Amino acid sequence: QVQLVESGGGSVQAGGSLRLSCAVSGYLYSTYCMGWFRQAPGKEREGVAAIASDGSTRYSDSVKGRFTISKDNAKNTLYLQMNSLKPDDTALYYCAADWVRWYLTARYRDWGQGTQVTVSS
């Protein structure tokens, strides 16, 4: 089983940047897809960005051009670089993994516990 631990959340003013990390331990599927999701209070979980083992990526329209997903295979860590943050980006951010290419669909098998991102205006 895969264990995922997010870090890097915090409070930032609008226009600022944060980089989220997701440390992966345990066996990661030889072919995989990993994603970042977020959930604000009273809202459904939303797919933000995803990356597959072949390097293909997907982004939601709401973050395209501002967020970048990447994975360091040597460090077994997934990242989400978030620039030009807006108050609407405030949410609990989760990373997820599966061997199925769910991309931005929240049907992944493995999930982390989340890290809070708060953007003030």
Side-chain angles (χ1 to χ4, degrees):
Q1 189 171 352
V2 176
Q3 291 81 43
L4 307 171
V5 179
E6 303 94 336
S7 62
S11 297
V12 65
Q13 288 192 328
S17 298
L18 283 174
R19 188 176 78 158
L20 305 184
S21 299
C22 175
V24 183
S25 61
Y27 175 71
L28 186 61
Y29 320 99
S30 57
T31 57
Y32 60 83
C33 189
M34 295 192 70
W36 285 101
F37 290 75
R38 65 187 182 187
Q39 189 165 19
K43 294 188 176 181
E44 292 188 356
R45 191 168 294 191
E46 172 193 16
V48 172
I51 186 167
S53 49
D54 65 356
S56 59
T57 58
R58 298 287 189 276
Y59 295 93
S60 67
D61 288 342
S62 60
V63 307
K64 201 172 294 183
R66 299 189 297 122
F67 291 10
T68 303
I69 189 170
S70 61
K71 188 173 184 294
D72 186 329
N73 291 325
K75 295 183 178 180
N76 228 8
T77 301
L78 181 73
Y79 298 102
L80 184 68
Q81 178 66 44
M82 305 186 296
N83 298 329
S84 302
L85 282 162
K86 305 174 182 179
D88 283 349
D89 295 320
T90 295
L92 189 60
Y93 282 72
Y94 300 88
C95 67
D98 204 330
W99 65 274
V100 178
R101 294 194 181 194
W102 295 118
Y103 285 115
L104 302 182
T105 303
R107 296 182 65 182
Y108 287 74
R109 169 178 173 166
D110 303 301
W111 292 83
Q113 295 300 306
T115 185
Q116 179 67 39
V117 172
T118 302
V119 184
S120 58
S121 57

